[in-house]
Amino acid sequence: MSGENIFTGLTEEHGGDARWAFGTGFTEALAGVDTTLPEGVDGADLAAYCQMLGDDALIQSQRLIHWVTDAPELEEEVALANIALDLLGQARLLLARAGQADGTGRDEDAFAYRRPAAEFRNVCLTEIPRGDFARCVTTLLVLSTWRLALFTRLADSRDPVLAAIAAKGVNELAYHREYAVSWALRLGDGTPYSNERMREAVADVWPRTGELFATHPVEAALADRGAGVDPASVREEVRGVLDQVLTTATLPAPGDFPEAGVAGRDGRHTGELAPLLEELQRVAREHPEATW
Amino acid sequence: MPTTAQEAPPGADEALQAEFDARIADNQRIEPRDWMPEAYRRTLIRQVSQHAHSEIIGMQPEGDWIATAPSLRRKAILLAKVQDEAGHGLYLYAAAETLGVDRAELTERLIEGRQKYSSIFNYPSLNYADVGVIGWLVDGAAICNQVPLCRTSFGPYARAMVRICKEESFHQRQGYELLMRMMEGTGGQRAMVQDAVDRWWWPSLMMFGPPDADSPNTQQSMTWGIKIDTNDDLRQKFVDMTVPQAEKLGVTLPDPELAWNAERERYDFGEPDWNEFKQVISGSGPKNAERVARRRTAHEKGAWVREAATAYARKQQSAREAAA
């Protein structure tokens, strides 16, 4: 399968109107995509890995959604909605892939709506409460820089579905990072007050960054098979980008990422995840027999 | 070459007015640099900015459901739709700005309650079927109102409407598709759809404005080519278009007087509660205060961010000048 096949699956019924984000059409997420597992890759591992990356995107998207109708400018509402949509699209593909790889055939909604918090595999930074616009920018800066570094490598995955999802995601994430950088600079080097807000935001976000580079056994196994990326391998690159951005934004460099073990990847989350999921899953759980 | 206000010698207003009238009569577009009567400019600023405000406030009733949308596909559809509405607001504010008014000023007018927006958005959205019904009926009514405006006399407004109508049609189709799916689902889902239809039907009919007899500005606006059809004509068109869709969907429209009139070849229908309309328009609707307050809060909370952006731009500008 070539990487282009998934784009065919993503095109959907929009008369070629690429303006519409993935996922607004009326077809199944991975329809028509060859989903055969690559040789030597364990299906359960691949499914767990897809949930990790999918849950990161889903939870981050859910946090961003609340900026729509609440941002400092309309342009920011459009941009943040766009970023949330991109991440939601990535989550849908990854969760659909998880359901195929583990052989259960569960669809994206089974993962999103019918798992308790302890079964989510996202990193805890995605759960950080929304806070002010400086925290939004800082969280987005860190997560997009990290995910872009991962996806750039993942585009060469031996799993053709992951490779295609990553190849598409790289363009999206490059935009997300660019957007976050542009605001980090404005806020950091704007007014004394905005600089102070950014310092606080970096101080709030930084303690959660260590986990981004802690390797889960599933990540190690898939990296070993050429299907996944060991997050420890992107640590220096991410550090370099963030140092450069924060320094240019006249903010103090926060130093190295704290050392941390795996947490969210093993289902150990902050207390912030459960209320987030309660909201995400509420209507679906109220109508368990319904189709939407 | 169009004549501009700047070039006009004193006392030339009559000639300019005659040229303007001739262009309108000839169905030609008026562009921002063209001379236009002040009343035309004022009316357009009001119409276009109220339309922009409606898009922005209109993000709220549906936006409330993005976080709880019951499937990821529905979440993506709704998020994209609400994002489009923000985009529509932006095009329309840009169109208004070509008439010499500042967007920041228009935002102030909105959040201080000095300017109106479509009163439909002062009703609450109570269950997920509301998302579908807003798409089907509210966007449907908006399309009926807006398609003729693609031919409106002011160029920037007409061009904005072309793009907006295209997207609104897509939203309407998505709303209807959600309702179809829900009607094929559980009894509870069908009840949700009927409940939403019962609540949104009359407010949708009110979106076309008061009856022609009570719409004093209609005639002047039609002469100027910034209104193409009367309120009652558009309302009739909407009812005729919607009734067969309701039948196909399997819902009952809450109007006992609704019936096909074979002689007129149109549907007869009841009169909306115009007292309720006046109350909602004058600010006493169920959600008026909340909608405006939310916008005001977002704006005020974001002031330091906008100030930072301005300060940063100024610093960059100084740095460029110093380097030059």
Side-chain angles (χ1 to χ4, degrees), chain B residues 1-118:
Chain B
M1 267 298 280
T3 315
T4 68
Q6 289 79 4
E7 294 162 8
D13 275 10
E14 278 178 27
L16 291 168
Q17 179 76 49
E19 187 185 328
F20 173 86
D21 291 343
R23 287 168 70 89
I24 295 283
D26 195 29
N27 285 326
Q28 286 186 46
R29 291 266 165 86
I30 306 298
E31 295 298 335
R33 291 177 60 82
D34 296 344
W35 184 90
M36 62 186 80
E38 265 317 296
Y40 174 88
R41 183 187 300 276
R42 272 200 312 275
T43 303
L44 262 175
I45 288 175
R46 185 170 55 94
Q47 185 175 340
V48 178
S49 56
Q50 287 182 2
H51 191 166
H53 299 331
S54 302
E55 296 282 356
I56 299 309
I57 296 293
M59 294 165 70
Q60 291 183 29
E62 291 175 286
D64 289 343
W65 291 98
I66 300 172
T68 52
S71 77
L72 296 186
R73 181 173 153 258
R74 292 295 170 197
K75 190 190 278 287
I77 289 172
L78 188 55
L79 182 51
K81 179 187 173 181
V82 173
Q83 183 195 25
D84 278 348
E85 286 164 357
H88 295 173
L90 285 172
Y91 315 147
L92 288 164
Y93 283 128
E97 284 191 317
T98 67
L99 290 157
V101 63
D102 186 47
R103 179 173 134 201
E105 160 64 16
L106 296 176
T107 302
E108 291 295 326
R109 287 185 201 172
L110 171 66
I111 63 181
E112 288 169 10
R114 287 188 283 131
Q115 244 184 348
K116 295 192 191 312
Y117 51 86
S118 181

Side-chain angles (χ1 to χ4, degrees), chain A residues 25 62 70 75 113 291-292, chain B residues 69 73-75 103 301:
Chain A
Q62 184 74 5
D70 198 33
E75 283 82 351
Y113 293 94
T291 48
W292 305 95
Chain B
R73 181 173 153 258
R74 292 295 170 197
K75 190 190 278 287
R103 179 173 134 201
K301 219 170 50 176

Side-chain angles (χ1 to χ4, degrees), chain A residues 5 50 67 90 132 144-145 188 201 224 235 245 248 286-287 289:
Chain A
N5 287 0
C50 288
W67 284 100
Q90 292 176 12
D132 67 2
S144 62
T145 302
D224 191 48
R235 185 182 181 114
V245 174
T248 313
E286 278 169 3
H287 304 276
E289 306 299 321

Side-chain angles (χ1 to χ4, degrees), chain A residues 38-53:
Chain A
E39 204 183 320
V41 172
D42 181 76
D45 279 353
L46 182 62
Y49 187 60
C50 288
Q51 284 179 69
M52 293 170 181
L53 297 176

